[in-house]
Amino acid sequence: MTNDQGHLMIKTALHAGRIMIENGSEVARVSDTISRIAANAGYPDSKVYVTITGIMMSVSGEENAQIEPVVSRSIDLEKITLVNDLSRHFAEHKITLAQFEERLTDLDQHSRYFPFWLQLVSAGLVSGTLEVVFRHNYPDFLVTCIIGLIGWWIFYVLNRLAKIRFLSEFLASAVIGVLALLAVKYHLGTNADDIIIGCVMPLVPGVPLTNAVRDILAGDLVSGIARGMEALMSAIAIGSGIAMILQAV
């Protein structure tokens, strides 16, 4: 293999790994995917070290180690599936390494997202449904849907503007608390606690918490603890926003 081929392999593997980490994949899956890409490209002795903030990779006997930083993290399981599909196509020789890298770039730059209005509607329905599931409070279903929709809208907008997830979660949960109390005050709802519980559910970091446990069980202690702290900070931000409003009234 030429140096250029080795460089392209590492670039492609790191690109695939970064997309997976950024969109909620656990570390073990990322490490396995990168190793398979390297092996299928003719480098079975590659060395990979994956964390949720960066990926390092090298090939034994060659001076071509590279680092790929991970600067943002969200949840998009479809992207993870698409990267895995591309990896399988490369393993089956349906695409070349260069085509693999081109399609990863296209996936990275032209992400397919659900329309914003559909995200809002989904957040509202999730809020109302979980409020009924957890609290069995059917009369507050509609108001919980509306407040949950508004809370998600505030979180989404602030996250796009400020780029600080914890701040967005804190302010969104505070607004949810205010709206829930107002809804009960003006007899639009019956129980503020039930409404708040349902509305904050779309903000709860369920996937990061699950991945933290999976990473720790798989032996990836650094990433597992880091993900756990990230999930804990999100939970603290959400709880602090609600607590601030409840203490103020």
Side-chain angles (χ1 to χ4, degrees), residues 13 31 36 66 110 146 151 161 163 222 237:
S31 181
R36 289 178 183 273
Q66 295 184 32
H110 304 91
I146 296 173
L161 295 176
K163 304 292 185 181
V222 173

Side-chain angles (χ1 to χ4, degrees), residues 48-70:
V48 183
Y49 180 68
V50 181
T51 70
I52 65 169
T53 55
I55 308 171
M56 291 168 277
M57 183 178 185
S58 67
V59 176
S60 298
E62 298 189 22
E63 298 179 356
N64 56 0
Q66 295 184 32
I67 300 175
E68 184 78 12
V70 179

